[in-house]
Amino acid sequence: MQKIFLGDVQGCAEELEVLLQRADAAFDADYEVWFAGDLVNRGPWSLRALQRVRPLVESGRARYVLGNHELKLIETGLGLRAPHPSDTFGDVLRSADATDWIEWLRRRPILETAQLGERKFAMVHASVHPRWDFETLRRSAASVQDRLGSANPEVAKHLLRADPAQDSDKEILARMTSARSANSDGKWSKEEPNSPEGAWYFAWRKAGHDYGIVYGHWARQGLHVAPGLRGLDTGCVHHGRGREGRLTAWIPEAGVSDCFAVPDTHFWHVPALHCYRRERDE
Ligand SMILES: [Mn+2]
């Protein structure tokens, strides 16, 4: 089955629809979509994006990892965070089944893994620790997911309220959903690096890991194609005021031994259909 990897949608449900129609035309029903997180927020249709993706996930036609904007939505829904003026996921929180959405979201993974050709790979919203091998990465994510998706919502709330300096699972959750910079020791920041060497994946690449990574989250960087790495956030929701936004999918070619090699031209781009950009730039 063809895998289609998709960068940050952020409520741009119309562009998502264009992309899924293109997938239908190209592969009939013989494809699965891997969503790299941040389906919601900043754009106009968070609820619609979730409604489109959930049946795909539940029928085994999609994988979906949480991003920082889903965490904001979960925290707001659980009463741990006040809505921010820049949030646009009120459609989810005001819906009749808001509680069900929050419960569904907090049971989503922060990591998905599989194999492409001969290459193991991971999909995560933002980053991984540069020293994590594949098993450490999986173990780290599983520990977080056990708590975030616990049958007892208080367990999830405790994790979300925790100080990353005191709770290693919270630190892992924050790193995997929001980091852009990191050094070789793994110290990280959500801020953009001052130099190429400061990007989270620079130290990760130097470590020579055998797995590939698909990620999103970094709209200002744009499409990132490097050995072992595919960064897919091309800022659809930031379109306007001099910035070109688009929704990007990676369609790795079947039968290739290393899909994560370069050069690679197997991408689809759906240009933003609206001028979304307002005051904020995140
Ligand atoms: Mn993000």
Side-chain angles (χ1 to χ4, degrees):
M1 187 175 284
Q2 176 69 47
K3 287 182 174 61
I4 299 177
F5 296 88
L6 206 49
D8 304 35
V9 173
Q10 297 210 250
C12 295
E14 290 186 352
E15 292 82 351
L16 171 61
E17 201 52 50
V18 171
L19 203 134
L20 293 176
Q21 283 174 13
R22 184 166 174 185
D24 283 337
F27 305 112
D28 207 354
D30 195 26
Y31 67 89
E32 58 183 20
V33 190
W34 287 54
F35 292 93
D38 280 359
L39 269 185
V40 300
N41 213 7
R42 304 281 185 255
W45 295 292
S46 293
L47 181 60
R48 206 171 130 193
L50 287 170
Q51 287 169 331
R52 186 68 173 88
V53 169
R54 183 169 174 172
L56 294 175
V57 171
E58 293 187 339
S59 63
R61 297 281 315 280
R63 310 274 190 105
Y64 168 35
V65 297
L66 297 174
N68 55 308
H69 285 288
E70 279 90 359
L71 291 179
K72 288 179 187 181
L73 173 52
I74 293 168
E75 288 168 0
T76 309
L78 293 174
L80 302 174
R81 170 185 179 273
H84 189 274
S86 62
D87 292 341
T88 64
F89 46 49
D91 52 353
V92 183
L93 294 170
R94 287 189 304 268
S95 73
D97 40 10
T99 305
D100 177 63
W101 278 115
I102 300 303
E103 288 302 291
W104 187 75
L105 282 169
R106 73 177 181 84
R107 289 176 169 77
R108 293 310 97 210
I110 58 170
L111 175 75
E112 286 280 4
T113 62
Q115 189 146 344
L116 271 171
E118 292 159 18
R119 187 81 109 119
K120 289 177 295 188
F121 72 92
M123 179 176 71
V124 61
H125 180 61
S127 85
V128 308
H129 191 296
R131 291 186 186 155
W132 284 344
D133 62 23
F134 199 60
E135 281 314 308
T136 307
L137 168 59
R138 287 166 61 136
R139 214 170 37 244
S140 301
S143 171
V144 172
Q145 288 165 204
D146 281 351
R147 291 171 65 187
L148 186 61
S150 168
N152 179 358
E154 293 306 316
V155 173
K157 287 186 189 177
H158 186 266
L159 173 69
L160 291 168
R161 272 196 298 251
D163 176 354
Q166 308 287 330
D167 185 319
S168 62
D169 286 333
K170 179 63 180 296
E171 198 270 344
I172 291 165
L173 176 62
R175 174 195 301 276
M176 291 182 66
T177 57
S178 62
R180 293 188 182 91
S181 304
N183 65 18
S184 55
D185 294 330
K187 186 172 162 40
W188 66 271
S189 160
K190 66 181 183 179
E191 303 304 326
E192 303 198 9
N194 297 318
S195 69
E197 295 76 22
W200 68 266
Y201 47 76
F202 189 85
W204 178 86
R205 278 183 66 182
K206 272 181 88 171
H209 296 293
D210 58 355
Y211 60 96
I213 296 182
V214 180
Y215 71 102
H217 186 58
W218 198 342
R220 196 177 280 280
Q221 174 182 250
L223 180 64
H224 178 217
V225 184
L229 290 158
R230 297 293 184 269
L232 303 178
D233 184 4
T234 47
C236 192
V237 80
H238 297 299
H239 186 65
R241 290 200 184 168
R243 289 184 66 182
E244 289 297 317
R246 55 191 185 169
L247 184 61
T248 291
W250 179 40
I251 326 288
E253 196 176 9
V256 172
S257 66
D258 184 9
C259 291
F260 284 88
V262 295
D264 182 357
T265 56
H266 298 90
F267 299 93
W268 289 348
H269 301 288
V270 176
L273 294 166
H274 304 277
C275 181
Y276 296 112
R277 187 158 151 74
R278 300 285 185 269
E279 295 304 314
R280 284 184 57 90
D281 174 29
E282 188 180 332

